[in-house]
Amino acid sequence: MKQKKSLSKRLRAKDETALEDIMSQYTRLVTSVIYNIGKNILSREDIEETAMDTFITLWKNADKVNDETLQGYICCIAKTKTFDKIDKLKRTYLNCSEEDIEDPFTLEPMIEDKITAEIIGNIIEAMPQPDKEIVIRYYYYHQTTADISLLMDINRQTVKTKLAKARKTIRNDLMKRGYDL
Amino acid sequence: MKKNIFDSKYFFIPSVNDIDMATIYNDNGTDEEHIKNMVLSEIRKTHYIRSKKRRIAVTLIAAALSVSILATGAFAAIDRFGTAFGDITRGNSDSVKVSDEKEYSINSIGNDLDIDVLGITGDDNTAYISLELRKKDGSNIVEDDSSFIGYNFSSGNEFNSPVADEDSIYISVNDVKYQQVGNNSKYAQSGYGSWKYISYNKIFSEDPGKSIADSQENLSEHKAVKTVPSDNGKALKMFIKYIISSDTPKEKTMNIICRGITEYHYGRKLKTYAKDYQGDIYNDVLNEFNYNSIYGEVVDEADGSKSFVEITNKKLDINFDISLKLNYDGTGKNVKLSSADAQKLFGDKNMSNAEINISSFGIDISSDKGSVNGIQEIDFYDTDKNRIIMKDGREYGMIQIIETGTDDSEFINTEYCELWEFNAPGNDYFENFKNADILLLNTDEIDRVIINGVTIPIR
């Protein structure tokens, strides 16, 4: 049986129904990421507008999309658009939690190229459960430790401990690979 | 600032196949339909303007592409794995009431299998589950073949020298995970809670006492799985025995994920299998087809060339998931701490009636004073100070202790424990995780625990 083209292929071909399908699949995710970042800052209308910007940007950059990275790419656009929106609103937007302030370790400068991103992805991939899920929820979907604790029914302190352990793991692994951190 | 690791345009999300996306979403009051309509309206507006200018060019390009596609047979190459697996049938939902106190429900997902529960028996500490698997089409589930090679899907290691008994059948059962159902009902239903992974692979021959994997896997009896072909190969009986213990009535779900073992593939030796459904190699494929197949890298022994092939429907194709939900009254063990131990442990002279409770879910420490500040100073990764020593001498480190003081702190609500082999040679942090033989604690087997350097006898 002939297979239906993948979403990314259809999107690259500027197939409008592909975008519709993507929106059906990812709108809740996109609005959730936006909400998690812009909590208490963005109004419902702001979130909707940012979500629209996200999908329109995706449509314009369809040539950069493939199925494997689609979800991550959408999350990435949503995050960037959210910060843009918040900047535009000239409001304070830092969503800090206590462990972030205490730990100067940041992954952002390292995510500058595909190789590093993939290495970090693989490190996270290799983590046991529930650590991996906690990391993904926290860093990729911007859920708070309190939310993660509630949703996964895991002690909040445990969540924090595991995040700290994950950071340590990533740091050590990257240093072993010659990264200067 | 919150750390973000998805700033790259190359960013990808490591897969968590079991993640319940419903728990990622939040109710932010947005109107999805409105967003969709506005976006479509916007891009149509842009497209209309452009399309007027490009209509002729687009027509010509489309015609050229059609010729190109037909000429290269590109359709044949699209999503080559797409239709290999057929429909996934969900069925065999059953509920077996063994006694007034125990109730077990079974949910299985098998591509072409009927899975019947022949019986579940047991007592407070042990459950014996007997299953029978048959092909829906009535064909043999077991075929004679002397060249079976079993693989450990978790480690990727090949089991050398399998017993080539014609009537033997080998099953690799991996990723058995226990779950304590939490308070969040939605989460509980989706298979989350406080997790305890028990990852193991054990391959049995027909001889109940003979495990061809014993030499490679340090498995304990409480995780035993045995399979026996019956009805002239048309059925496969699976016996699962495991020991449980808990001090309070608990509800648990045990998932057994079984992937078929196969043999040499088209004369080429299979070198690498998908580790399991969480493996990092084949997630895209497995995601799409609900992990109902195994893919592997094949090395052609003749020329060393490698290829990526589907490994299913060979001599043994018995992929299935079973979810067992157990309600039972277990037994746990409470140990009253001496005042001296309590003081050492808690660093609090006023601690009284301190107790340590060891159950299958973890180690709880409680006191009627409620102050458990000392425990918070424990470095869980200090395996010199935190260990469990079993009666047979095995030692495990990385104890996580859940405090159950009476101060109504946030630490009360969860019972969670993780531990892994402390004395496994050559295990570093990652290796420990990868090869972890995380045990469901059986209190009867524990001799003593060491918490923060304080030894507490458990007898």
Side-chain angles (χ1 to χ4, degrees):
Chain A
M1 192 176 75
K2 193 161 63 179
Q3 291 299 294
K4 202 174 181 181
K5 274 187 181 178
S6 71
L7 271 179
S8 60
K9 283 178 186 170
R10 290 163 56 210
L11 195 68
R12 284 199 294 274
K14 293 295 181 188
D15 180 349
E16 211 177 87
T17 62
L19 186 61
E20 278 189 67
D21 290 347
I22 288 171
M23 284 192 287
S24 298
Q25 196 172 334
Y26 292 112
T27 299
R28 292 186 69 191
L29 174 64
V30 165
T31 57
S32 296
V33 169
I34 296 168
Y35 174 81
N36 286 342
I37 298 170
K39 202 181 292 183
N40 304 322
I41 299 169
L42 300 177
S43 66
R44 181 176 65 82
E45 289 75 18
D46 290 333
I47 295 172
E48 287 183 354
E49 200 175 322
T50 309
M52 289 175 210
D53 287 345
T54 299
F55 288 113
I56 290 168
T57 302
L58 177 73
W59 175 257
K60 288 176 180 172
N61 292 277
D63 58 327
K64 297 174 184 170
V65 175
N66 63 53
D67 283 345
E68 192 183 6
T69 58
L70 179 61
Q71 183 170 333
Y73 192 55
I74 291 173
C75 286
C76 182
I77 296 172
K79 193 211 85 168
T80 306
K81 289 291 172 190
T82 307
F83 284 137
D84 286 350
K85 183 74 178 175
I86 294 169
D87 261 348
K88 204 172 174 180
L89 293 172
K90 298 186 186 301
R91 296 178 190 175
T92 305
Y93 62 81
L94 294 182
N95 182 17
C96 292
S97 52
E98 58 273 46
E99 67 267 33
D100 300 327
I101 297 168
E102 287 169 5
D103 189 340
F105 177 63
T106 174
L107 293 168
E108 281 194 0
M110 294 183 284
I111 315 292
E112 291 177 355
D113 59 70
K114 184 179 181 179
I115 295 172
T116 310
E118 284 185 356
I119 289 172
I120 293 175
N122 289 337
I123 295 169
I124 296 169
E125 190 77 61
M127 289 178 182
Q129 292 286 31
D131 305 36
K132 183 165 77 169
E133 185 173 339
I134 289 171
V135 168
I136 289 172
R137 284 179 179 276
Y138 185 78
Y139 285 113
Y140 289 78
Y141 297 122
H142 288 274
Q143 290 186 326
T144 63
T145 53
D147 286 343
I148 295 169
S149 168
L150 180 70
L151 291 165
M152 294 182 72
D153 195 13
I154 293 175
N155 186 303
R156 189 179 177 196
Q157 190 57 42
T158 303
V159 171
K160 290 179 180 178
T161 303
K162 287 186 176 299
L163 283 170
K165 190 170 72 178
R167 283 193 287 268
K168 188 177 175 185
T169 299
I170 293 170
R171 190 203 314 256
N172 289 344
D173 201 294
L174 288 173
M175 287 174 76
K176 278 182 192 171
R177 294 168 189 262
Y179 283 82
D180 185 17
L181 303 175
Chain B
M1 180 177 169
K2 192 163 188 171
K3 295 167 281 297
N4 300 299
I5 53 178
F6 61 110
D7 273 357
S8 167
K9 65 180 179 181
Y10 303 110
F11 164 80
F12 63 96
I13 296 177
S15 65
V16 178
N17 295 321
D18 288 337
I19 201 165
D20 181 1
M21 288 305 289
T23 64
I24 298 293
Y25 305 138
N26 51 49
D27 183 12
N28 47 61
T30 52
D31 183 346
E32 290 182 33
E33 213 44 42
H34 173 65
I35 293 170
K36 193 173 177 179
N37 292 335
M38 291 299 287
V39 170
L40 290 174
S41 168
E42 184 66 26
I43 66 164
R44 278 169 188 156
K45 197 164 56 185
T46 309
H47 181 67
Y48 177 73
I49 295 168
R50 288 179 178 170
S51 63
K52 280 179 70 176
K53 296 177 182 174
R54 297 183 178 178
R55 186 171 299 151
I56 296 173
V58 167
T59 305
L60 288 174
I61 290 168
L65 280 175
S66 299
V67 172
S68 173
I69 288 170
L70 289 172
T72 58
F75 279 130
I78 295 172
D79 295 331
R80 59 187 282 258
F81 303 120
T83 59
F85 317 112
D87 294 329
I88 295 165
T89 305
R90 186 181 294 271
N92 296 305
S93 185
D94 200 353
S95 181
V96 182
K97 193 154 190 175
V98 176
S99 71
D100 288 342
E101 292 79 30
K102 302 176 182 66
E103 185 172 346
Y104 307 85
S105 63
I106 306 290
N107 288 294
S108 65
I109 301 171
N111 51 340
D112 60 350
L113 292 173
D114 282 319
I115 302 176
D116 291 323
V117 182
L118 300 180
I120 302 177
T121 59
D123 51 30
D124 286 344
N125 297 311
T126 310
Y128 298 92
I129 303 155
S130 176
L131 308 171
E132 186 177 84
L133 290 64
R134 286 176 183 271
K135 289 280 185 72
K136 287 184 190 296
D137 62 7
S139 62
N140 277 16
I141 194 168
V142 183
E143 295 181 31
D144 289 349
D145 193 287
S146 59
S147 61
F148 272 138
I149 295 284
Y151 279 79
N152 180 329
F153 289 136
S154 286
S155 70
N157 294 332
E158 177 181 340
F159 290 119
N160 295 317
S161 305
V163 180
D165 183 333
E166 282 192 353
D167 292 322
S168 296
I169 190 163
Y170 312 118
I171 287 184
S172 174
V173 180
N174 57 39
D175 275 359
V176 176
K177 57 197 177 189
Y178 270 93
Q179 171 205 9
Q180 176 200 348
V181 175
N183 295 324
N184 184 319
S185 60
K186 184 164 66 174
Y187 225 71
Q189 286 165 14
S190 68
Y192 283 77
S194 297
W195 288 45
K196 292 168 176 39
Y197 272 84
I198 302 177
S199 181
Y200 71 99
N201 289 266
K202 192 159 192 174
I203 299 178
F204 281 85
S205 69
E206 190 177 8
D207 178 354
K210 188 176 181 183
S211 164
I212 60 173
D214 269 349
S215 60
Q216 310 214 6
E217 299 284 338
N218 181 22
L219 298 173
S220 52
E221 182 62 21
H222 71 274
K223 292 181 287 185
V225 176
K226 182 165 72 72
T227 59
V228 177
S230 61
D231 194 7
N232 294 322
K234 290 190 181 300
L236 178 68
K237 287 185 178 177
M238 174 178 281
F239 303 95
I240 302 169
K241 172 191 174 186
Y242 68 99
I243 296 171
I244 48 182
S245 66
S246 176
D247 58 334
T248 52
K250 298 291 181 186
E251 181 178 298
K252 291 184 182 178
T253 296
M254 179 179 74
N255 292 314
I256 301 169
I257 300 165
C258 183
R259 298 291 180 254
I261 309 297
T262 187
E263 38 116 26
Y264 285 81
H265 182 78
Y266 302 130
R268 296 173 298 184
K269 193 176 183 181
L270 294 163
K271 297 297 289 184
T272 307
Y273 278 74
K275 287 180 180 176
D276 53 35
Y277 70 105
Q278 291 177 7
D280 56 0
I281 307 174
Y282 315 117
N283 282 317
D284 51 344
V285 177
L286 298 181
N287 273 332
E288 189 170 354
F289 297 103
N290 206 15
Y291 330 122
N292 199 33
S293 186
I294 300 292
Y295 280 78
E297 185 182 69
V298 170
V299 178
D300 192 318
E301 289 185 321
D303 60 8
S305 62
K306 296 179 178 179
S307 55
F308 185 64
V309 299
E310 172 203 352
I311 307 164
T312 53
N313 197 29
K314 297 298 179 290
K315 298 301 180 187
L316 178 60
D317 181 9
I318 49 169
N319 303 315
F320 64 88
D321 295 356
I322 302 172
S323 175
L324 293 171
K325 192 171 172 183
L326 309 177
N327 294 299
Y328 68 95
D329 291 313
T331 56
K333 185 169 285 189
N334 287 293
V335 178
K336 197 131 190 150
L337 296 176
S338 70
S339 56
D341 279 347
Q343 188 180 335
K344 277 193 286 183
L345 196 57
F346 295 103
D348 185 340
K349 291 179 181 177
N350 296 319
M351 187 62 67
S352 63
N353 289 326
E355 275 190 351
I356 177 169
N357 174 265
I358 300 180
S359 74
S360 59
F361 292 115
I363 298 175
D364 304 332
I365 298 177
S366 61
S367 158
D368 60 7
K369 288 292 183 184
S371 170
V372 287
N373 291 331
I375 293 299
Q376 293 177 35
E377 302 303 319
I378 287 178
D379 177 359
F380 296 127
Y381 308 110
D382 186 341
T383 48
D384 285 330
K385 290 185 176 176
N386 300 291
R387 281 196 257 174
I388 293 178
I389 293 104
M390 313 298 274
K391 286 178 179 171
D392 64 4
R394 284 173 297 155
E395 294 185 15
Y396 299 89
M398 296 293 292
I399 307 166
Q400 179 139 349
I401 301 152
I402 303 307
E403 306 156 45
T404 51
T406 55
D407 59 350
D408 199 26
S409 73
E410 64 173 321
F411 300 101
I412 293 176
N413 62 355
T414 307
E415 292 174 312
Y416 183 78
C417 173
E418 65 176 356
L419 65 160
W420 58 80
E421 265 185 284
F422 173 69
N423 58 352
N427 275 350
D428 61 19
Y429 180 76
F430 255 123
E431 285 302 308
N432 261 328
F433 265 129
K434 268 169 60 181
N435 301 320
D437 187 9
I438 300 173
L439 296 181
L440 187 70
L441 285 178
N442 179 7
T443 59
D444 290 338
E445 294 179 3
I446 297 175
D447 183 70
R448 60 194 185 278
V449 297
I450 301 173
I451 301 170
N452 233 6
V454 177
T455 301
I456 300 162
I458 311 293
R459 295 190 179 93

